[in-house]
Amino acid sequence: MKIMKKIRSIAFFIIGLFSLGMGIAGTILPVLPGGPFYLFAAFCFAKSSKKMDTWFKNTSVYSKYVEPILLKTGMTRKEKIRINCIADLCILISVFYIDFLFIKIILLLLALYKHYYFIKKIKTIPPKNNQSKSFTKEM
């Protein structure tokens, strides 16, 4: 039993590192959303060990990308649009390359549900950048 627990812990650690790497790539690349990968990395590190969970929760990546989602504070309009456009592009590419009508319909329904969820269920928060306010004050 201890061996299986150790193997499970190592597997979650490796998957967590991979997911963290994909999240970082998603932060840099405009085509890949990083948020879901960061959430999955947090899950994997929590399952891996207390030490890894504590380490990840103390990183700036966790406080910037994971915490707002877990605390349900919401997303900015720009983040919502970016994530939806990327996901829609991937779904559209899939719809064009798949020959099964049933799967095309399911993909389109998922895309519609995704938009509903982002519009109705995820709170839209104002951007943290206050440049426009300071600019108007100077004038």
Side-chain angles (χ1 to χ4, degrees):
M1 286 299 220
K2 277 190 169 189
I3 294 173
M4 289 304 289
K5 193 172 184 178
K6 188 71 172 170
I7 291 172
R8 183 176 162 247
S9 176
I10 291 170
F12 273 117
F13 173 74
I14 292 170
I15 295 168
L17 281 178
F18 176 75
S19 185
L20 178 62
M22 292 298 288
I24 291 169
T27 302
I28 297 168
L29 302 172
V31 216
L32 186 68
F37 289 108
Y38 289 133
L39 284 172
F40 189 61
F43 170 78
C44 289
F45 288 144
K47 293 286 186 182
S48 171
S49 70
K50 287 281 185 195
K51 191 175 183 179
M52 282 306 300
D53 186 40
T54 305
W55 169 79
F56 189 60
K57 286 182 178 177
N58 288 324
T59 63
S60 61
V61 167
Y62 183 86
S63 62
K64 186 175 180 183
Y65 297 104
V66 178
E67 228 170 40
I69 296 170
L70 293 178
L71 297 175
K72 298 183 179 171
T73 55
M75 300 172 80
T76 64
R77 184 176 316 276
K78 184 178 179 181
E79 289 172 326
K80 284 183 173 186
I81 291 170
R82 179 177 168 256
I83 290 170
N84 271 302
C85 287
I86 293 167
D88 285 343
L89 179 66
C90 293
I91 290 171
L92 215 62
I93 290 170
S94 299
V95 165
F96 285 119
Y97 280 103
I98 293 176
D99 289 333
F100 300 108
L101 180 63
F102 179 69
I103 294 176
K104 287 183 179 190
I105 293 170
I106 288 175
L107 286 171
L108 292 173
L109 289 173
L110 284 172
L112 289 173
Y113 179 74
K114 175 185 60 70
H115 283 284
Y116 162 78
Y117 190 83
F118 269 77
I119 292 169
K120 295 290 185 181
K121 300 291 184 181
I122 299 175
K123 181 180 168 185
T124 303
I125 58 173
K128 292 179 182 177
N129 190 350
N130 293 330
Q131 289 177 352
S132 60
K133 290 181 182 177
S134 63
F135 179 72
T136 56
K137 286 181 182 177
E138 290 175 6
M139 294 182 86

